[in-house]
Amino acid sequence: MTRQPISVALVEDDPAVRQRFKASIEKQPQLTWIGEATSVREGKALLGDNCPRVLLVDLGLPDGSGLEVITEAAHHCPATEVMVVSMFGDEGHVIQAIEAGASGYLLKDMDDESLTEHIIQLVDGGSPMSPMIARHLLKKMRQSEEPDQAAASGISLTKREMQLLKLLARGYTYREVADELSVSSHTVNSHIKNLYRKLSVKTKNEAVFAATRQGLLDMRHLD
């Protein structure tokens, strides 16, 4: 079955970058361009008018940080997938963006074809990241506290929640999780809400990261 084109919007203050991204997206028949903003204020207004399926956000904006726009999207457009596209590739910006609700993080030096491919991957349940960004996250996880120390947090996940968490870590979409576990989408959503509440997170990336940091999930053993 052919799906509807994926709606994409962009928050970026550089005119050349906006034109480049817009041209790339309009060439891809699976994507449709619905708008752009050049600042935090305009980005929030854009979300107030229409929630895109994918929102691309730069972090360095003239009137503040793109993190504010990401937070706004998480609160008011929960179905919107946010992907950072930035020049900032340091660990601090990466962690803050993911904690705010971003599900992908790309550096601006990637080619235009990769951008459109990553947008489609994001909607299909992936978490596209530039290699340097992925390395920062791995480093952060290695530096996290030891599992036996983390266990003192008192967080306890049910067997089903652990199954779901491992599938999310393997890149499964919610629909694929439902099929794999032979349960309804409603049941998956219920488990997701409980899992997020226990881990105090808002996105699947945050859930995987938090569970790994607290010793509840070992990325080397996801079977």
Side-chain angles (χ1 to χ4, degrees):
M1 183 177 67
T2 303
R3 66 179 174 189
Q4 292 295 317
I6 300 166
S7 59
V8 183
L10 170 68
V11 183
E12 166 64 60
D13 64 316
D14 187 325
V17 174
R18 288 201 307 274
Q19 182 56 42
R20 172 188 156 204
F21 285 3
K22 181 179 180 181
S24 299
I25 289 165
E26 290 181 333
K27 289 179 183 176
Q28 169 55 256
Q30 295 186 59
L31 308 179
T32 181
W33 180 266
I34 67 167
E36 60 190 74
T38 64
S39 64
V40 171
R41 181 180 60 80
E42 290 182 7
K44 290 181 177 181
L46 185 153
L47 292 172
D49 294 335
N50 190 7
C51 291
R53 187 67 183 87
V54 173
L55 181 67
L56 306 177
V57 181
D58 185 17
L59 296 182
L61 299 171
D63 60 341
S65 170
L67 294 172
E68 298 178 56
V69 181
I70 297 173
T71 301
E72 185 81 3
H75 288 165
H76 298 288
C77 298
T80 294
E81 297 282 0
V82 178
M83 182 151 61
V84 173
V85 185
S86 177
M87 293 295 293
F88 300 130
D90 60 280
E91 182 179 307
H93 281 98
V94 174
I95 299 302
Q96 289 178 39
I98 291 175
E99 289 179 342
S103 295
Y105 199 117
L106 302 175
L107 298 179
K108 288 183 180 179
D109 59 1
M110 52 47 189
D111 60 78
D112 296 346
E113 184 176 348
S114 293
L115 173 66
T116 56
E117 290 176 354
H118 287 320
I119 291 172
I120 295 170
Q121 289 173 9
L122 187 70
V123 173
D124 286 341
S127 297
M129 294 188 185
S130 297
M132 181 185 296
I133 304 306
R135 179 168 295 187
H136 280 318
L137 291 180
L138 288 172
K139 179 182 177 183
K140 184 70 174 178
M141 285 191 292
R142 291 190 188 112
Q143 293 175 340
S144 298
E145 57 187 337
E146 293 297 325
D148 56 344
Q149 295 174 326
S153 64
I155 296 176
S156 177
L157 302 182
T158 66
K159 180 179 178 180
R160 182 64 86 186
E161 288 166 351
M162 280 302 306
Q163 289 178 312
L164 187 149
L165 183 61
K166 288 181 178 180
L167 292 176
L168 293 181
R170 291 167 60 184
Y172 279 53
T173 65
Y174 294 161
R175 180 177 297 177
E176 290 170 338
V177 169
D179 292 341
E180 179 72 16
L181 300 180
S182 299
V183 298
S184 68
S185 296
H186 176 76
T187 299
V188 169
N189 287 335
S190 177
H191 285 309
I192 287 285
K193 289 180 181 179
N194 289 334
L195 181 64
Y196 286 7
R197 175 180 54 79
K198 289 181 178 180
L199 295 175
S200 299
V201 298
K202 300 175 183 177
T203 70
K204 58 185 177 184
N205 272 358
E206 285 185 52
V208 172
F209 180 75
T212 303
R213 182 180 58 196
Q214 297 181 50
L216 299 169
L217 180 68
D218 187 342
M219 295 295 287
R220 298 167 297 180
H221 304 288
L222 296 178
D223 296 332

